[in-house]
Amino acid sequence: MPVKRAPRPIARIATDESLPVANAPVAKAPVAPLPIVDAEAPDAYRRRPRQSRGQARVELLLEAAASVIAEHGLQAATAEAIALRARTAKGSLYQFFPNRDAVLAALALRYADEMRAIHERAFPIDPHGLPLDRLIDRIVKPLAEFHDTHPAFRRVFATVEGPGDDTRSAPTRLRAQLFESFVDRLDVLFAARNPKLATRDRRRIALVAASLGQSLLARRGRAVAAEKKPLLDDLRRILLAYLQPVLEPPVVKTKREPKGEAKPAPKKR
């Protein structure tokens, strides 16, 4: 009888931690961010390294792929180019990866895991004590720094538009999962910041804020050095102007009696 093989492990990203919702009604609290799991993607590796020497070689190949992509674009990252940049034989790449696309999938998984860790550090547990501008900076600045230190990130996760849109590729799915997880985190944060905000409005505002950030950070990644800071400042101003009316509603002041006018004395009976 033929021997049944065990299913290959799926590629996945570690679980997102949920954020507590302070002072928010339980019935209106959004669902905490779920684990990001790429259930459709097979394991990116042909053979996972177990020894430190093999792990170092894989890291070298991934760094080489990132360098080629950052300098010459995604299409230039062939197996030959990656091996050449890593100063190793092409057979060394095939020892761990079945093909060039598997290298890109592994690189995307590593980027996604690093991005998830940034999300966990950026989002405060209790957002009430922070002014809105500082809260925005706490989230936006680490993301901008990540884009600056990982120039291949934007190209690895680039979405192809048109009839040939490859929505089944691992990087495309991971990008969508990361975005949805980020919107979930904003949703939880906004519920804690303003418990009176309607669920549908809160979700829409989180989606718009995340889309603005993603779009401008991607544009900033393509900009020359002189434009990077102004674009980041513009993004912060746009988010502040958009979120301030809903997350910091104006306080209604009670009408006071004008100073200097004495109140009439009560009449004696």
Side-chain angles (χ1 to χ4, degrees), residues 4-242:
K4 293 184 179 180
R5 295 183 179 179
R8 301 179 68 185
I10 58 175
R12 61 176 295 166
I13 304 174
T15 303
D16 282 331
E17 300 294 337
S18 61
L19 294 175
V21 183
N23 300 329
V26 176
K28 295 184 179 181
V31 177
L34 296 174
I36 301 178
V37 179
D38 193 356
E40 299 181 23
D43 191 14
Y45 296 89
R46 180 190 296 277
R47 179 176 68 83
R48 285 187 175 274
R50 296 181 179 180
Q51 299 180 354
S52 58
R53 183 177 178 181
Q55 293 172 357
R57 190 175 299 178
V58 167
E59 287 299 314
L60 182 64
L61 289 168
L62 293 180
E63 289 295 336
S67 297
V68 172
I69 293 169
E71 294 176 15
H72 305 291
L74 200 62
Q75 298 303 320
T78 61
E80 293 80 0
I82 294 170
L84 182 63
R85 180 61 61 93
R87 297 184 179 181
T88 187
K90 190 167 63 172
S92 180
L93 183 149
Y94 290 130
Q95 184 180 0
F96 297 102
F97 300 99
N99 49 46
R100 167 257 196 190
D101 289 341
V103 178
L104 300 183
L107 184 60
L109 281 169
R110 189 175 73 166
Y111 282 157
D113 201 31
E114 292 179 22
M115 183 64 77
R116 176 196 53 80
I118 291 175
H119 292 172
E120 290 181 353
R121 293 193 300 268
F123 281 81
I125 295 177
D126 183 5
H128 296 88
L130 285 175
L132 185 56
D133 57 345
R134 289 181 57 191
L135 185 62
I136 292 172
D137 285 347
R138 181 184 176 122
I139 298 171
V140 170
K141 283 186 174 181
L143 295 176
E145 291 173 1
F146 179 85
H147 279 258
D148 291 341
T149 55
H150 299 77
F153 172 81
R154 174 180 55 84
R155 289 177 169 176
V156 170
F157 284 96
T159 300
V160 180
E161 298 179 354
D165 185 10
D166 185 13
T167 56
R168 295 186 59 82
S169 71
T172 303
R173 285 195 304 274
L174 286 170
R175 171 177 172 152
Q177 291 165 357
L178 274 174
F179 182 80
E180 288 300 320
S181 175
F182 187 72
V183 173
D184 288 343
R185 288 180 176 275
L186 287 178
D187 196 4
V188 175
L189 178 67
F190 293 170
R193 189 84 180 191
N194 184 3
K196 296 181 179 180
L197 195 59
T199 302
R200 183 178 295 180
D201 293 338
R202 186 183 66 229
R203 186 70 183 183
R204 186 193 70 253
I205 293 166
L207 179 64
V208 171
S211 300
L212 286 170
Q214 184 184 68
S215 177
L216 277 179
L217 286 177
R219 177 63 185 86
R220 183 177 174 275
R222 300 190 298 269
V224 297
E227 294 180 355
K228 290 186 179 295
K229 186 179 183 304
L231 282 172
L232 184 60
D233 291 341
D234 286 344
L235 173 59
R236 292 158 61 195
R237 281 193 290 267
I238 291 170
L239 289 175
L240 182 62
Y242 178 64

